[in-house]
Amino acid sequence: MSMTESATEQNLANAFAEPPEAGDVQAGNPLPIGGAHQQGGGVNFVLFSRHATAIRLEFYQNSDDSSPARIIDFDPVRHRTGDVWHLWVRGIPAGQLYGYRVEGPYLPEEGHRFNPHKLLLDPYARAIAGVKNWDFLAARGYDSSSSLADLSFSTVDNAGTTPKCIFTDDHFDWETDSPPKHSASDTVIYETHVRGFSIHPSSGVANPGSFAGFIEKIPYLQDLGITAIELMPVLEFNENESNRLNPITGERLKNYWGYNHVAFFAPKQSYSIGGPHGQQIHEFREMVKAFHRAGIEVILDIVLNHTAEGDELGPTISLRGIENSIFYMLQENGCRYYKNFSGVGNTLNANHPVVREFVRNVLRYWVMHMHVDGFRFDLASILGRDEHGNILRNAPLLEDIAEDPILRDVKIIAEAWDAGGAYQVGSFSTRRWTEWNGRFRDDVRRFWVGDEGMLGSFASRICGSSDLYQGSGKGPASSLNFVTCHDGFTLNDLVSYKQKHNDENGEFSRDGSDANYSDNCGVEGSSQDPGVERMRNRLIKNFLLTLFISRGVPMLLGGDEFRRTQRGNNNAYCQDNEVSWFDWSLLETHKEIQRFTRGMIAFRRAHPVLRRENFYTDADIKWFAPNGAAPDWADQRQKSFACLILGHTEPDLFLLFNADTRPVDFFIPALPAGKIWRLAVDTSRTSPDDLFHSGKEPSMQGQIDHRLEPRSSAILLTDGAS
């Protein structure tokens, strides 16, 4: 045990050595409107609840204790202002564990599910202890023997099996930390998972699977050319919430991805290397500070559309037991059931004024106190639904987020759809929002696997998707372009599997998308055939080239640069094992792909014409069929075309694309006297002739055409301004 941990435990012991003296508990005040905040020589505890009849604050010494060390009841007269309950307690040390009991009506048919037998998490808790062995079944608010389980009232006390909140000291020396604030045109995002990124033994880090371990890999990301990392959920969740088993190995499946928050202000404790007293906050901040020193932004994938409390049969953890009727969307014809636009049981009532304020406070906290640079909002369309579930034209919460003065400089990225049928790619809220462009993913995949009739759609995607965004007044910077993401095949699996292989998820492969638009290059799964491997490398390079020459904001799925595989699993949300972990030995096996990725990011950076934040005009771009004529966009069988991007004061670029299964000769446009074409990239070639470093591109002087091999792409550039 460290000296710090010993001191903390001694402070806790001292705090409860004697009964509280008169004046130790005072009325406090209702602001800030939630959480536990140090004020003077004590802590002000605040909880919102409109329909509660009584609230009890309980202090614990250990996370697995079933009995509190101290209990304080809120006086409904002295300790309540409107719907806000508050009290001040003297001498609470950092590291103190606490939770709430809330009494009120248990009338699910009217939307109320108060149950004082359940110890509840503070919605504003900044750290949680005791998640590792959390039993969600014990947290449930019903007796499973009842035929109307969600209407029964459980008297089973869950204190010994549920986590506790940690009161934390908010001090941290940020030194001269300053957000990089990269423009959209300079941004290259790397999406990854904190644990999976470094937990594999091949990572070579001293602290695998942690915030600290991530810091050790920063030089690698810098070398790759990344300007922002997008972290899959790091807000606290219960990785052991599932009782399902892997049908192949018999091992218990996990909530690996974490899209099921239990505490919106608390970083994940298991990603910390410290002890149980809130060190995860300090370690997260150290990670952010280290990334900022390296010029890399930190974007959080945040889930504000639902909580881990699930449907009417789910556990009572926090919001359900505090004010169920306000925090969740309930069915009008029977309030005991939840509207489920999230696909996982419940939907946060994000356009209720109280909930809107809660969401804004969550975002402000992560920006102000944790210094994050942006957010990717999971199933963001839900945040634009009213209390009845209807999509709002000018959703108040989405506009609040976009116009909030604290959030004005951060990146806000929407997954512009939800599980209730909304699909708003190209028209999501205001121009401040960037959108995950699912059409880019699908159209680029379909073009390169050889689907017919994709010429026009592919051309639109590489030009910034004006067909999607221009009508709503947005530009290419609104399009976050990606070919792969956490949800679906990795890039390696996209060219190695024709079908998903999700047997290990225990859902009979019913989970995960069937619309993968993938190609196995003749062999399902791994292959030792050199011809198959050459074609897979070629297709991977095509996808990477397309991603990094396209206007918009590119996002690379972590590990795609060295062909990370999930063995065909396109929904590895429950696989906390080598299916999901980064095997860093692949960096040597597939160094050709890693070199190509790094080179394409550098090529994008070297040619600003590819990343300007406006759409191309006729004066900027010219289109060609392989024979030099104009393309026939209506020809459904045509799979090859080229475009000339005029650099004006920069080098011109000639981009060639051949998704056909036969080689195609492309006419090369003539240049003014004194200018020549040079070959920068050809994906059909092997390293180092697939991509040439700046200034090393071989001359194509005297050539009038360039042959593109089947299913390949190329870039030519002029040696100066035209």
Side-chain angles (χ1 to χ4, degrees):
M1 179 182 295
S2 69
M3 293 180 64
T4 301
E5 291 174 1
S6 298
T8 301
E9 293 194 356
Q10 185 60 50
N11 288 339
L12 294 180
N14 293 340
F16 298 109
E18 298 178 357
E21 299 175 358
D24 272 8
V25 178
Q26 298 177 15
N29 64 77
L31 296 174
I33 205 166
H37 302 274
Q38 193 147 24
Q39 293 182 2
V43 175
N44 194 56
F45 292 89
V46 183
L47 190 70
F48 161 83
S49 184
R50 178 168 299 170
H51 296 97
T53 56
I55 294 179
R56 172 174 292 176
L57 173 64
E58 297 185 351
F59 295 119
Y60 290 80
Q61 288 198 257
N62 299 294
S63 61
D64 57 354
D65 285 353
S66 57
S67 298
R70 182 179 178 184
I71 296 173
I72 303 175
D73 289 312
F74 285 73
D75 184 321
V77 176
R78 293 179 58 244
H79 299 152
R80 184 172 185 175
T81 303
D83 296 334
V84 181
W85 302 67
H86 47 86
L87 57 76
W88 179 91
V89 185
R90 188 187 309 278
I92 300 299
Q96 174 63 60
L97 304 182
Y98 71 98
Y100 287 104
R101 307 271 185 176
V102 181
E103 291 188 33
Y106 191 86
L107 298 169
E109 66 276 11
E110 296 180 15
H112 303 307
R113 292 179 179 271
F114 295 98
N115 187 342
H117 300 284
K118 306 304 173 185
L119 186 70
L120 305 177
L121 294 177
D122 179 354
Y124 281 82
R126 296 186 177 185
I128 304 295
V131 179
K132 185 176 181 181
N133 299 310
W134 194 355
D135 182 356
F136 261 15
L137 292 179
R140 295 183 189 274
Y142 66 91
D143 179 356
S144 60
S145 64
S146 171
S147 59
L148 290 175
D150 64 301
L151 289 178
S152 67
F153 186 83
S154 170
T155 59
V156 176
D157 193 295
N158 69 335
T161 58
T162 198
K164 280 75 174 177
C165 310
I166 308 175
F167 170 67
T168 61
D169 181 353
D170 201 41
H171 173 73
F172 180 77
D173 185 3
W174 283 102
E175 300 177 278
T176 58
D177 180 67
S178 180
K181 294 185 180 179
H182 295 299
S183 66
S185 61
D186 290 333
T187 297
V188 176
I189 298 174
Y190 189 91
E191 188 201 25
T192 191
H193 188 284
V194 169
R195 175 172 166 81
F197 189 66
S198 66
I199 191 63
H200 195 279
S202 63
S203 70
V205 303
N207 300 292
S210 67
F211 299 130
F214 218 131
I215 294 174
E216 299 178 63
K217 286 292 187 181
I218 288 177
Y220 169 80
L221 296 171
Q222 282 182 295
D223 179 68
L224 194 60
I226 300 303
T227 71
I229 55 165
E230 183 176 301
L231 299 179
M232 292 172 66
V234 298
L235 279 62
E236 193 62 81
F237 61 91
N238 180 8
E239 60 264 41
N240 296 308
E241 67 182 31
S242 173
N243 287 323
R244 291 189 296 108
L245 302 179
N246 183 323
I248 297 175
T249 67
E251 295 175 329
R252 184 175 175 179
L253 295 169
K254 299 291 188 72
N255 174 7
Y256 171 68
W257 284 356
Y259 288 90
N260 223 15
H261 297 334
V262 298
F264 291 93
F265 291 79
K268 189 83 182 83
Q269 196 278 329
S270 65
Y271 295 165
S272 163
I273 60 173
H277 303 300
Q279 290 91 332
Q280 58 265 42
I281 300 175
H282 178 88
E283 293 177 32
F284 180 89
R285 288 168 168 165
E286 288 287 0
M287 180 192 70
V288 172
K289 188 164 68 170
F291 271 106
H292 285 178
R293 280 198 299 265
I296 298 175
E297 295 176 302
V298 178
I299 298 170
L300 300 188
D301 194 340
I302 194 166
V303 186
L304 293 165
N305 58 74
H306 75 280
T307 75
E309 292 185 301
D311 62 14
E312 69 278 1
L313 303 181
T316 296
I317 300 169
S318 181
L319 302 180
R320 171 171 289 158
I322 293 171
E323 195 54 80
N324 183 70
S325 66
I326 286 177
F327 279 103
Y328 293 111
M329 290 188 189
L330 305 177
Q331 298 285 2
E332 290 89 349
N333 58 351
C335 289
R336 70 188 183 103
Y337 297 113
Y338 295 83
K339 292 182 178 178
N340 186 18
F341 297 107
S342 66
V344 287
N346 65 53
T347 304
L348 208 64
N349 190 16
N351 273 296
H352 188 286
V354 169
V355 186
R356 287 207 308 268
E357 182 173 12
F358 175 72
V359 168
R360 290 196 303 272
N361 287 338
V362 169
L363 301 176
R364 289 167 178 166
Y365 173 77
W366 285 98
V367 171
M368 294 170 59
H369 297 277
M370 308 299 266
H371 285 208
V372 303
D373 304 283
F375 304 93
R376 179 265 188 186
F377 293 79
D378 181 69
L379 299 182
S381 290
I382 286 176
L383 305 182
R385 292 183 181 272
D386 65 18
E387 67 273 18
H388 304 296
N390 301 312
I391 294 290
L392 293 166
R393 181 176 177 83
N394 298 302
L397 178 57
L398 299 178
E399 292 188 349
D400 286 349
I401 293 171
E403 297 300 326
D404 188 284
I406 301 297
L407 307 176
R408 283 295 295 173
D409 288 337
V410 305
K411 291 177 169 62
I412 52 174
I413 304 167
E415 184 180 34
W417 55 83
D418 64 23
Y423 192 82
Q424 297 175 289
V425 173
S427 61
F428 187 86
S429 191
T430 68
R431 283 180 287 180
R432 262 276 286 144
W433 286 87
T434 300
E435 305 170 19
W436 267 31
N437 189 346
R439 286 283 303 277
F440 182 95
R441 173 200 59 203
D442 295 345
D443 290 348
V444 168
R445 288 185 181 191
R446 292 183 64 192
F447 175 80
W448 281 119
V449 301
D451 282 6
E452 293 187 347
M454 296 306 301
L455 219 61
S457 294
F458 181 82
S460 293
R461 300 302 150 249
I462 66 175
C463 290
S465 297
S466 61
D467 58 326
L468 301 179
Y469 295 103
Q470 200 164 33
S472 56
K474 298 188 175 189
S478 295
S479 176
L480 189 144
N481 300 329
F482 65 102
V483 177
T484 54
C485 64
H486 70 273
D487 193 1
F489 279 147
T490 65
L491 194 50
N492 174 83
D493 293 359
L494 189 65
V495 300
S496 302
Y497 294 90
K498 194 70 174 173
Q499 299 174 336
K500 64 185 181 184
H501 295 265
N502 296 0
D503 295 336
E504 292 186 79
N505 294 354
E507 299 185 43
F508 305 100
S509 267
R510 290 192 292 258
D511 63 305
S513 175
D514 293 317
N516 295 298
Y517 308 118
S518 60
D519 186 3
N520 62 18
C521 298
V523 177
E524 188 75 357
S526 61
S527 173
Q528 302 301 314
D529 186 318
V532 170
E533 281 297 285
R534 280 195 299 272
M535 182 54 69
R536 287 177 177 175
N537 275 346
R538 183 180 300 181
L539 287 176
I540 287 172
K541 291 176 186 177
N542 288 337
F543 284 122
L544 291 168
L545 181 148
T546 304
L547 178 65
F548 291 115
I549 60 87
S550 296
R551 282 200 175 172
V553 179
M555 184 183 77
L556 178 72
L557 174 63
D560 275 355
E561 74 276 16
F562 52 76
R563 291 185 58 177
R564 181 175 72 88
T565 179
Q566 292 178 172
R567 303 200 294 255
N569 192 324
N570 76 348
N571 190 34
Y573 72 99
C574 55
Q575 301 295 331
D576 185 6
N577 50 49
E578 294 200 5
V579 170
S580 298
W581 299 344
F582 284 46
D583 181 353
W584 289 90
S585 69
L586 294 174
L587 195 55
E588 176 61 27
T589 305
H590 298 297
K591 57 186 176 184
E592 178 175 349
I593 297 300
Q594 201 269 354
R595 174 188 177 273
F596 188 87
T597 306
R598 188 173 64 247
M600 282 307 307
I601 294 174
F603 187 89
R604 178 183 181 85
R605 185 169 57 248
H607 296 278
V609 70
L610 296 173
R611 47 190 174 85
R612 293 197 178 121
E613 297 181 22
N614 53 277
F615 294 115
Y616 291 108
T617 68
D618 291 341
D620 302 322
I621 192 166
K622 309 296 181 185
W623 304 95
F624 299 92
N627 63 5
D632 183 356
W633 300 110
D635 186 346
Q636 297 291 301
R637 296 170 298 175
Q638 184 59 250
K639 299 180 182 180
S640 304
F641 75 103
C643 63
L644 173 63
I645 300 175
L646 300 172
H648 303 299
T649 60
E650 304 167 25
D652 297 337
L653 303 176
F654 192 50
L655 311 181
L656 296 74
F657 305 97
N658 178 24
D660 212 327
T661 55
R662 60 182 177 83
V664 174
D665 292 322
F666 281 79
F667 167 80
I668 301 176
L671 290 173
K675 301 297 180 184
I676 62 171
W677 288 109
R678 295 185 180 275
L679 178 64
V681 183
D682 190 327
T683 63
S684 69
R685 302 184 180 188
T686 57
S687 181
D689 296 328
D690 54 346
L691 184 148
F692 296 94
H693 294 298
S694 180
K696 304 294 184 181
E697 303 93 343
S699 170
M700 302 185 71
Q701 191 168 14
Q703 289 185 228
I704 61 172
D705 58 25
H706 180 73
R707 171 160 288 197
L708 263 189
E709 296 301 322
R711 307 179 79 178
S712 62
S713 52
I715 303 176
L716 280 56
L717 55 78
T718 57
D719 64 356
S722 299

